[in-house]
Amino acid sequence: MLPSDICSILQWWLAILILGTGFLPLTFLLFKNFFDKGYIFSKLLSLCILTYVILLLGILHILPFTEINSWLMFFLIASLIYGLTPGKRDLFLVIKQNFLIFVFEELLFLATLFLWAYIHSFNPDIHGLEKYMDYGFINSILRSDYFPPKDMWLTPLFINYYYFGHLVTAVLTRISALSPNITFNLMLSTIFAFCFTQTFSLGANIYSFMKKSEKISEAKRFVSGLLTALLVTFAGNLHIVYGFFKPYTNDKPVPFWDLPFLPVTFPNSYWYPNATRFIHNTIHEFPIYSWVVADLHGHVLDIPFVLLTIAVLLSLFINSEISKPKSDSSQVQKNARMGLLSYFDQRIYGLLLLGFLLAIMYMTNAWDGGIYLLLSILVLFTIYHKNLVVFFLSVFITSVSLALFSLPYNYFFKPFTSGMGILCAPEFLTKIGKIGPFLFEQNFCQHSPWWQLLILYGFFYFFVISFLVFINRTKKLLPTDTFVLLLILLSTFLIILPEFIYLKDIYPAHYRANTMFKLVFQSFIMLSVSCGYIIVRILSSVKLKKINLGKKLLTISYLLLVIGLISLVMTYPYLAINSYYGLDQKDEKGKFKKPAGLDGTKYLKNLYPDDFKAIEWLRKNVAKQPIILEAQGDSYTDYARVSANTGLPTVLGWTVHEWLWRGTYDIPSPRIAEIKTLYETLDLKEAQALLKKYDVEYVFIGTLEYQKYPALSEQKFQKLSKIIYQSQNTKIYKVSP
């Protein structure tokens, strides 16, 4: 890795460290029952709160989004936290008592940040899949003084997408004073580091709560945290078994037992994306796949906030009466009959925070707000089921705070789903077509074969079934068991749900793909956390010295099976990482491939060298967000590269994406012909009228413009504007006022 990249990583990490330090008093208060006091979550709390305040002030046009203002707001909020948080006198005592675990988790965060930054440096290009979209959002935000940010692909409208996570990236870019072509890749590495360290904390803390009545083994706590972190961050699914068999045709999977068994030649041309496209016309991704393909999408940006929310729910649950020893049962009953004000005096802030985090998730990846509202309801019901009035009031407070905190975002956002479809609807309903939000469409009847579900989720449910059998035999249900069962219950519901419904979007053949994708992604995370706990829960109860030979052999066999299953799912990252990043590739001289660095725009220099120079010139010399004309093209192509790489809005970018975000093709489609006319017409007045219609200030003519519009005519631009930049055939015109 280049020395400049190492400096960038350290500069980025230092900014995050400072942000987290400013929120330690609040973190220690929220996670006072955690053995590590929730140290690693302080970074996320700071990013949530700071970014939200910046968003709110920007929407209200009170404070522009600048580097100085971002730091100013951080110090103001941190000062309020240090000044108002109760128990701040004990802050240094808490730090002193837990200094070693704080240092360990900080070093673990830094190490995993470096690890994925190093891996990502082998292919850092912000190019391919939907990276242009994500990068364009970030660049548009960085050019915005106020919010909502402009849609860089459909001037003059605002972004109609879940952009809060991209705003977090922009805030960190501002605060770290680094360039976005570096921070795009650093954010991916940061989410990876957050995922690993947060799940380590979750796993270690759940073990501590499980063993709270006994002497805690530090080694077992470490193993519990590490196992949970590995499963959530690195594990694949059992689709990896296909590596032992003759490959099937990518779009026509068959049961592996119908294929020739070829274990000697493992992995048999195994293609890692198939594990996420196994069920016909659907998507069922999981974190390690997202790390590898490196799109900075909402579902990836939301992972740290999801884990923070699970941690908050765990803290609320463990701190509730339901988790207290049986000796306190009389007090539990007494508290259940207490008045509402007395019952909520210490819990109201937790519920408000929960609603705030749900709003953060909704603005980052809307599906997650709904999913974790359901989990919150399950947890709150379990806590307050003896007092339904308190339960309903808790849900009301959480839901209202979710609605209020997301209101500034929702004011400008229009959902782009058009109803809830029912799979395999009866014929008489398909003739009706629609009843309220429910859709009944003919021939929309896709279901997942049982054997495919078994391959995708069999790893998890082996442990779930083991857990249920274990609980039934021991007749002992710990509070942590109950919490994990809630995670399993919701995860199972999310896996089953796409077999019955889908949310309608613009894709006819893949109508349930997005529904399944967003639901089971969260199932994978919650089931991974659950299985980390289950494995430790079952194995820590085994006393080999006290059981007979038969049970000892059975236990050893079970342990070997556990090791085998974990080994299988942990093979996936090795194959996926090497396939995408080529860490084990050698050049003609037999030397291993070298890292390319963290600059995500270097590829432009090779593909379109003159366009690259022009884009760099625009980034450095054009302020704010004047509108630039460039060639329009289809999604997943190199078109719209100027707007994506600069944040300057253009007349129309990726058409299908705009079609999805706007809910209708009628909005973007007329612009396709108008852009073609602008580049090719010889009629001066026609060109002038269109330039005025879209308020175009700059015209970009480069490699793709010449390719897209063979009849391109520059004469009119020479009369209506002047050249302000030129490199070979690439030119930038500034339109005369």
Side-chain angles (χ1 to χ4, degrees):
M1 190 175 291
L2 300 173
S4 59
D5 292 328
I6 295 174
C7 291
S8 295
I9 295 171
L10 291 175
Q11 186 174 331
W12 176 264
W13 165 75
L14 183 60
I16 296 173
L17 176 63
I18 293 171
L19 293 181
T21 303
F23 284 70
L24 285 178
L26 180 59
T27 305
F28 293 164
L29 180 66
L30 292 170
F31 299 103
K32 60 184 178 183
N33 51 353
F34 278 34
F35 88 97
D36 59 356
K37 307 305 175 188
Y39 172 80
I40 204 66
F41 297 104
S42 65
K43 305 176 190 298
L44 265 299
L45 278 172
S46 67
L47 285 172
C48 284
I49 296 173
L50 175 61
T51 304
Y52 184 82
V53 170
I54 289 172
L55 173 66
L56 188 61
L57 294 176
I59 286 177
L60 296 174
H61 284 230
I62 294 174
L63 196 68
F65 177 40
T66 65
E67 181 180 338
I68 294 175
N69 288 340
S70 298
W71 276 113
L72 177 65
M73 292 314 305
F74 163 71
F75 285 117
L76 178 60
I77 298 169
S79 299
L80 289 173
I81 288 174
Y82 273 85
L84 299 177
T85 303
K88 55 183 173 294
R89 293 182 179 178
D90 300 327
L91 178 64
F92 293 106
L93 179 61
V94 172
I95 294 174
K96 181 179 179 181
Q97 292 174 342
N98 300 277
F99 184 72
L100 289 180
I101 185 61
F102 293 170
V103 170
F104 172 77
E105 289 189 348
E106 192 61 54
L107 290 176
L108 185 63
F109 178 81
L110 183 59
T112 47
L113 175 64
F114 262 103
L115 171 64
W116 201 258
Y118 174 74
I119 292 172
H120 199 58
S121 69
F122 282 84
N123 187 2
D125 299 344
I126 308 173
H127 186 227
L129 299 176
E130 292 182 300
K131 294 178 181 63
Y132 268 13
M133 179 193 82
D134 298 314
Y135 193 44
F137 286 161
I138 294 167
N139 281 315
S140 180
I141 292 169
L142 286 169
R143 283 185 174 271
S144 301
D145 287 333
Y146 300 105
F147 303 119
K150 290 183 179 180
D151 188 335
M152 70 288 176
W153 286 345
L154 197 72
T155 177
L157 302 180
F158 297 123
I159 293 175
N160 195 58
Y161 192 78
Y162 321 114
Y163 63 80
F164 188 86
H166 301 93
L167 177 58
V168 172
T169 308
V171 169
L172 278 173
T173 300
R174 282 270 189 263
I175 285 178
S176 65
L178 293 169
S179 176
N181 57 318
I182 300 292
T183 63
F184 182 94
N185 290 324
L186 284 178
M187 191 64 186
L188 287 160
S189 304
T190 302
I191 298 169
F192 173 87
F194 272 136
C195 183
F196 194 91
T197 51
Q198 285 178 287
T199 48
F200 172 85
S201 177
L202 274 173
N205 275 292
I206 293 177
Y207 174 83
S208 298
F209 296 137
M210 182 182 75
K211 294 287 187 178
K212 65 181 180 179
S213 60
E214 305 174 19
K215 185 177 179 181
I216 299 294
S217 166
E218 291 296 333
K220 290 182 179 178
R221 180 155 59 189
F222 176 84
V223 169
S224 179
L226 185 61
L227 176 62
T228 305
L230 288 171
L231 288 177
V232 177
T233 314
F234 283 102
N237 53 37
L238 289 181
H239 183 271
I240 193 68
V241 299
Y242 279 91
F244 294 98
F245 296 83
K246 182 180 178 180
Y248 62 82
T249 304
N250 283 348
D251 59 347
K252 296 179 180 179
V254 296
F256 63 82
W257 50 82
D258 290 342
L259 296 170
F261 184 48
L262 304 171
V264 177
T265 52
F266 179 87
N268 290 312
S269 302
Y270 181 77
W271 181 229
Y272 73 94
N274 285 343
T276 69
R277 306 295 192 274
F278 191 51
I279 299 174
H280 183 60
N281 281 348
T282 67
I283 304 171
H284 34 79
E285 293 185 12
F286 39 85
I288 182 60
Y289 177 82
S290 298
W291 313 136
V292 170
V293 299
D295 277 0
L296 200 56
H297 277 3
H299 70 282
V300 177
L301 287 159
D302 205 33
I303 290 174
F305 304 132
V306 161
L307 296 172
L308 172 59
T309 303
I310 293 175
V312 169
L313 286 170
L314 175 64
S315 180
L316 289 173
F317 184 83
I318 293 300
N319 205 35
S320 67
E321 284 80 359
I322 197 170
S323 297
K324 292 185 178 179
K326 290 183 178 180
S327 58
D328 293 341
S329 59
S330 60
Q331 184 64 34
V332 171
Q333 296 175 4
K334 179 180 178 181
N335 288 344
R337 296 191 296 269
M338 288 171 60
L340 296 181
L341 291 178
S342 299
Y343 214 79
F344 275 100
D345 57 356
Q346 294 183 349
R347 296 171 177 81
I348 186 72
Y349 300 112
L351 296 174
L352 291 174
L353 173 65
L354 186 57
F356 172 72
L357 292 176
L358 292 172
I360 294 297
M361 288 190 290
Y362 168 76
M363 295 185 292
T364 304
N365 189 41
W367 294 77
D368 296 349
I371 290 169
Y372 288 95
L373 176 60
L374 286 177
L375 181 61
S376 301
I377 292 171
L378 287 175
V379 171
L380 291 172
F381 179 77
T382 307
I383 294 174
Y384 299 125
H385 65 280
K386 293 183 179 180
N387 192 330
L388 291 181
V389 174
V390 172
F391 162 68
F392 284 115
L393 187 56
S394 300
V395 173
F396 176 77
I397 292 172
T398 303
S399 302
V400 169
S401 58
L402 160 61
L404 290 176
F405 282 120
S406 59
L407 182 60
Y409 170 86
N410 262 336
Y411 183 80
F412 298 95
F413 177 73
K414 180 182 178 182
F416 37 85
T417 55
S418 56
M420 180 183 295
I422 307 300
L423 287 168
C424 304
E427 185 177 352
F428 77 93
L429 287 176
T430 60
K431 292 179 179 178
I432 298 173
K434 184 177 182 180
I435 300 176
F438 298 102
L439 305 175
F440 309 100
E441 300 180 282
Q442 286 185 336
N443 302 319
F444 276 45
C445 192
Q446 293 178 2
H447 284 304
S448 307
W450 68 268
W451 57 271
Q452 291 184 322
L453 292 173
L454 179 64
I455 288 169
L456 293 180
Y457 308 111
F459 172 83
F460 297 122
Y461 285 95
F462 169 80
F463 293 109
V464 169
I465 294 171
S466 300
F467 187 44
L468 295 175
V469 171
F470 173 80
I471 290 174
N472 184 59
R473 292 185 63 181
T474 59
K475 308 296 182 183
K476 185 179 181 181
L477 189 68
L478 300 177
T480 46
D481 295 340
T482 303
F483 185 82
V484 167
L485 285 172
L486 295 178
L487 296 179
I488 293 169
L489 177 63
L490 180 57
S491 299
T492 305
F493 173 71
L494 297 179
I495 292 171
I496 294 173
L497 196 60
E499 304 302 318
F500 296 94
I501 68 166
Y502 59 93
L503 290 190
K504 177 72 173 176
D505 53 31
I506 67 171
Y507 302 111
H510 298 76
Y511 49 85
R512 69 182 186 128
N514 202 42
T515 301
M516 181 180 288
F517 171 28
K518 297 300 174 62
L519 296 183
V520 302
F521 192 87
Q522 298 308 318
S523 292
F524 194 99
I525 291 175
M526 287 187 280
L527 287 172
S528 296
V529 172
S530 301
C531 288
Y533 169 80
I534 290 169
I535 293 169
V536 173
R537 173 81 165 96
I538 294 175
L539 295 181
S540 65
S541 67
V542 175
K543 310 293 183 185
L544 286 176
K545 293 181 180 180
K546 297 182 180 181
I547 59 178
N548 59 41
L549 180 61
K551 289 185 176 180
K552 188 176 294 186
L553 291 174
L554 187 63
T555 302
I556 293 173
S557 299
Y558 180 80
L559 178 60
L560 291 175
L561 183 56
V562 169
I563 294 172
L565 287 171
I566 293 175
S567 299
L568 271 178
V569 297
M570 293 304 294
T571 304
Y572 182 86
Y574 172 77
L575 298 177
I577 291 170
N578 274 324
S579 179
Y580 192 87
Y581 292 99
L583 273 65
D584 59 353
Q585 291 181 4
K586 294 182 179 180
D587 59 20
E588 298 176 352
K589 298 181 180 179
K591 294 184 179 180
F592 282 105
K593 178 181 177 182
K594 293 182 179 180
L598 293 176
D599 184 350
T601 58
K602 276 185 178 179
Y603 75 95
L604 275 171
K605 190 182 297 185
N606 297 322
L607 286 178
Y608 315 109
D610 294 316
D611 291 3
F612 170 76
K613 294 175 185 177
I615 288 170
E616 286 295 294
W617 185 90
L618 285 168
R619 288 177 58 186
K620 294 176 182 177
N621 293 279
V622 177
K624 307 297 181 183
Q625 288 190 284
I627 295 161
I628 188 167
L629 178 69
E630 65 172 319
Q632 171 277 331
D634 294 331
S635 298
Y636 309 104
T637 66
D638 287 355
Y639 289 100
R641 82 281 192 205
V642 179
S643 47
N645 282 279
T646 62
L648 295 173
T650 192
V651 178
L652 179 63
W654 284 3
T655 311
V656 174
H657 277 69
E658 288 296 345
W659 177 9
L660 172 65
W661 301 337
R662 306 300 163 183
T664 174
Y665 188 65
D666 294 338
I667 294 176
S669 61
R671 302 188 180 205
I672 298 174
E674 290 178 322
I675 295 172
K676 178 180 173 66
T677 298
L678 266 170
Y679 275 107
E680 294 187 341
T681 185
L682 299 175
D683 189 325
L684 198 64
K685 290 184 178 180
E686 184 180 30
Q688 190 173 33
L690 286 173
L691 290 171
K692 186 177 181 180
K693 177 180 178 180
Y694 292 110
D695 197 24
V696 174
E697 291 190 39
Y698 295 92
V699 175
F700 192 98
I701 298 178
T703 306
L704 296 185
E705 283 69 31
Y706 287 116
Q707 291 178 7
K708 180 80 174 184
Y709 309 112
L712 190 151
S713 171
E714 290 189 50
Q715 293 180 355
K716 58 183 174 296
F717 296 130
Q718 294 169 357
K719 295 178 180 178
L720 296 173
S721 55
K722 63 178 180 178
I723 292 179
I724 57 172
Y725 177 87
Q726 181 171 2
S727 176
Q728 301 297 328
N729 289 327
T730 298
K731 306 178 187 71
I732 301 174
Y733 287 87
K734 182 172 175 57
V735 179
S736 302

